[in-house]
Amino acid sequence: MAVSNNLAKSQQKTSLTAYLSNDAVKNQINSIVGGKNGTRFISSIISAVNANASLQECTNASILSAALLGESLNLSPSPQLGQYYMVPFKNNNAGVKVAQFQLGYKGYIQLAI
């Protein structure tokens, strides 16, 4: 006899692509970054997250927050450029992984210029 518990079902995380494709999120990004740059910003975030498997486990809001901090400094999130990194950390209080902004040495050089 199998017992099913509806409360035990885990919530499925929305993919980052679906999260960023949401109209409310897209409009918010476009208002912050700008219309033409908003599309570039979204595609660069998706590219950076797809390159790092452990970053895919982070919450979508923390990834967006770290990327917006880098965008405010006019830096690129591309790991190949090394201007800044979105580094996954485990939040023990909430029990989830979050992405944090980490400035790379090439980012320091870019900011100095």
Side-chain angles (χ1 to χ4, degrees), residues 1 13 33 40-41 53 64 75 91 93 101 109:
M1 179 194 297
K13 182 183 174 215
V33 177
R40 177 201 51 84
F41 176 72
L64 183 59
L75 299 175
N91 184 348
N93 294 335
F101 174 84
I109 293 170

Side-chain angles (χ1 to χ4, degrees), residues 52 54-55 58 86-90 97-100:
N52 188 347
S54 60
L55 194 58
C58 296
M86 293 180 281
V87 182
F89 287 102
K90 182 166 181 163
K97 280 192 176 181
V98 293
Q100 290 186 349

Side-chain angles (χ1 to χ4, degrees), residues 35-49:
K36 187 181 280 187
N37 290 333
T39 306
R40 177 201 51 84
F41 176 72
I42 290 172
S43 63
S44 64
I45 292 174
I46 292 171
S47 168
V49 170

Side-chain angles (χ1 to χ4, degrees), residues 14-22 26 42 46-47 49-50 60:
T14 307
S15 71
L16 183 67
T17 307
Y19 177 73
L20 294 176
S21 296
N22 185 359
K26 193 184 294 186
I42 290 172
I46 292 171
S47 168
V49 170
N50 286 339
N60 294 332

